[in-house]
Amino acid sequence: MTTASIQAAPSLAEHFARVRGSSIALSAGLSAEDMQIQSMPDASPGKWNLAHTTWFFEQFVLAREHDYRPYNADWHYLFNSYYQSVGPMHARPHRGLLSRPSLAEVLDYRRYVDDAVQDILASDINEEMASIVTLGLQHEQQHQELLLTDILHALYSNPLKPAYSTGSDTPATASVPMNFVNGHEGLVQVGHDAEGFAFDNESPRHRVWLAPHALANRAVTNAEYAAFIHDGGYREPTLWLSEGWATVQREQWQRPLYWQRDLVSAFTLHGVRTLDPHAPVCHLSYFEADAFARWAGARLPTEAEWESAAVALPVTGNLLRDAPCMPRAAQGEGLQQMYGDVWEWTSSAYGSYPGFKTLPGALGEYNGKFMSGQMVLRGGSLATPYDHIRPTYRNFFPPDARWQFMGVRLAQDR
């Protein structure tokens, strides 16, 4: 993490209260049973998400205070995620078996920790402490998106297909036609420039050489992806990477995750809804995004190409504010949907930038240890908090993952 300008304590306290309150608001309509379920090993129960983010503040903020007394020392084992240097943890695939502590107890735990952190923020904290609290809030916002994507998969696994919330459909409007916008070429600077917050994996800023290329002005739509399906895209091995084709055969993929067999409706946070043909297709794996690009006579952008185009654009779009909505059709001129709607797969493997160094201590396990077997996504989604995303943000997932709001933007060589 780099924090050249840390928020003053009063504004940080307000930000802490707002972010922590947003997690509670996002889970307010869910039952204790909803918050308990774990529908697949890659997901976590909502209750665990609320507890783990609280554990993070207890472990990395409150434990630094010599007179702090843990809420329940036994819970450190339950709610540690992957910080091996802190201690052992409960196995991720078995988080759904944790019927105790109850949701009510977890909420009490959050209040206890929140009060203790606010007491610290009311004092004259140093830059290091402010930096760690800021990191914890960014971490919490990541789990807000996970809370939504995890409950989406859990509710989808229910034969009744219940909705997370009752939202109205966005009126369907035609998307702007797809065209390609020339990107920067030659020597460009990418990576965080040390102004404001960034995770450690966004640094250091460095130079990259870009060959002539162009990016699509918008994300690929549901209608365009349906054309790929109807043309036999899932049956043509020459379109797929070897591992991708093996995955398609093993998992019997025939359409994006959550699409219904009719190819005109999909399960969403608002239940089963008719697909807007003009809205971005989402819940695609890297393998599917790459195969579609090949079918379309294009390719996926590199993360440097994506960032060099996005850095000059305002960070605004269809992002998470008070409640999640649906993907929306692109409108306007120039590059659209660079932020929000769907995370966009790039062709770049997730690795370290030249000169990258992890944070000291346990916080060094946050990002660097995952730099193997993952692909980079950029831009955020409709489930990404609006003040969490930035042009240098590097999200990463295995190439077969698709339960996040993942989509595709095409690129071309010029």
Side-chain angles (χ1 to χ4, degrees), residues 82-102:
Y82 51 72
Y83 295 90
Q84 300 285 345
S85 58
V86 170
M89 68 285 298
H90 188 66
R92 178 175 181 174
H94 300 154
R95 291 170 183 169
L97 302 178
L98 298 176
S99 59
R100 307 288 177 86
S102 67

Side-chain angles (χ1 to χ4, degrees), residues 23-41:
S23 298
I24 299 301
L26 288 172
S27 57
L30 298 173
S31 68
E33 293 82 2
D34 290 332
M35 296 289 283
Q36 173 67 35
I37 194 168
Q38 181 179 20
S39 54
M40 63 174 174

Side-chain angles (χ1 to χ4, degrees), residues 15-351:
H15 187 49
F16 178 86
R18 182 182 65 79
V19 172
R20 295 285 283 171
S22 293
S23 298
I24 299 301
L26 288 172
S27 57
L30 298 173
S31 68
E33 293 82 2
D34 290 332
M35 296 289 283
Q36 173 67 35
I37 194 168
Q38 181 179 20
S39 54
M40 63 174 174
D42 285 340
S44 296
K47 181 177 73 175
W48 189 92
N49 279 307
L50 294 182
H52 167 68
T53 50
T54 304
W55 170 90
F56 189 96
F57 284 107
E58 185 174 46
Q59 176 65 44
F60 296 114
V61 176
L62 299 181
R64 290 170 171 259
E65 301 294 299
H66 70 277
D67 58 347
Y68 176 73
R69 299 182 62 182
Y71 185 83
N72 186 324
D74 291 337
W75 291 9
H76 286 213
Y77 173 80
L78 299 181
F79 302 131
N80 184 1
S81 55
Y82 51 72
Y83 295 90
Q84 300 285 345
S85 58
V86 170
M89 68 285 298
H90 188 66
R92 178 175 181 174
H94 300 154
R95 291 170 183 169
L97 302 178
L98 298 176
S99 59
R100 307 288 177 86
S102 67
L103 176 59
E105 289 174 306
V106 166
L107 294 176
D108 286 342
Y109 176 41
R110 284 181 69 92
R111 285 187 284 269
Y112 177 88
V113 169
D114 285 357
D115 288 345
V117 172
Q118 288 287 21
D119 285 345
I120 291 175
L121 296 180
S123 64
D124 186 18
I125 63 173
N126 59 31
E127 182 172 308
E128 180 184 17
M129 181 64 80
S131 175
I132 295 172
V133 172
T134 301
L135 173 62
L137 294 175
Q138 294 282 327
H139 169 256
E140 177 113 8
Q141 289 181 309
Q142 289 179 316
H143 278 269
Q144 289 168 0
E145 182 158 6
L146 288 171
L147 190 151
L148 292 173
T149 54
D150 291 355
I151 195 61
L152 175 63
H153 190 272
L155 296 177
Y156 170 75
S157 301
N158 186 324
L160 299 180
K161 299 292 187 288
Y164 162 80
S165 66
T166 55
S168 59
D169 288 330
T170 302
T173 56
S175 179
V176 295
M178 183 181 290
N179 59 66
F180 285 81
V181 179
N182 287 333
H184 299 290
E185 58 181 275
L187 202 60
V188 299
Q189 295 272 356
V190 298
H192 190 62
D193 61 4
E195 294 181 1
F197 175 88
F199 290 116
D200 58 357
N201 64 0
E202 300 172 50
S203 296
R205 192 164 176 80
H206 60 286
R207 293 177 294 178
V208 176
W209 182 268
L210 297 183
H213 68 280
L215 299 183
N217 61 320
R218 58 164 173 79
V220 170
T221 66
N222 288 317
E224 289 162 344
Y225 198 83
F228 166 75
I229 299 174
H230 290 304
D231 196 45
Y234 282 89
R235 301 190 301 272
E236 179 48 66
T238 61
L239 296 174
W240 298 80
L241 296 170
S242 177
E243 186 181 352
W245 182 246
T247 303
V248 168
Q249 299 303 297
R250 182 180 66 252
E251 302 297 331
Q252 293 296 293
W253 287 351
Q254 300 178 41
R255 55 190 177 274
L257 182 63
Y258 304 135
W259 278 33
Q260 305 298 288
R261 292 181 181 275
D262 60 12
L263 302 184
V264 296
S265 58
F267 184 72
T268 74
L269 287 166
H270 306 311
V272 177
R273 295 295 177 94
T274 300
L275 283 167
D276 179 354
H278 306 289
V281 60
C282 60
H283 303 297
L284 297 180
S285 67
Y286 170 80
F287 294 137
E288 291 165 296
D290 178 74
F292 177 89
R294 193 169 288 110
W295 173 82
R299 61 172 175 83
L300 300 180
T302 68
E303 64 170 325
E305 289 171 344
W306 190 98
E307 184 177 320
S308 68
V311 72
L313 302 175
V315 183
T316 185
N318 186 19
L319 295 153
L320 177 65
R321 293 185 182 270
D322 296 327
C325 56
M326 303 281 281
R328 298 171 182 167
Q331 303 293 311
E333 299 180 353
L335 292 172
Q336 302 297 313
Q337 300 173 318
M338 293 293 281
Y339 300 104
D341 283 303
V342 292
W343 287 99
E344 297 176 3
W345 286 106
T346 74
S347 62
S348 299
Y350 177 55

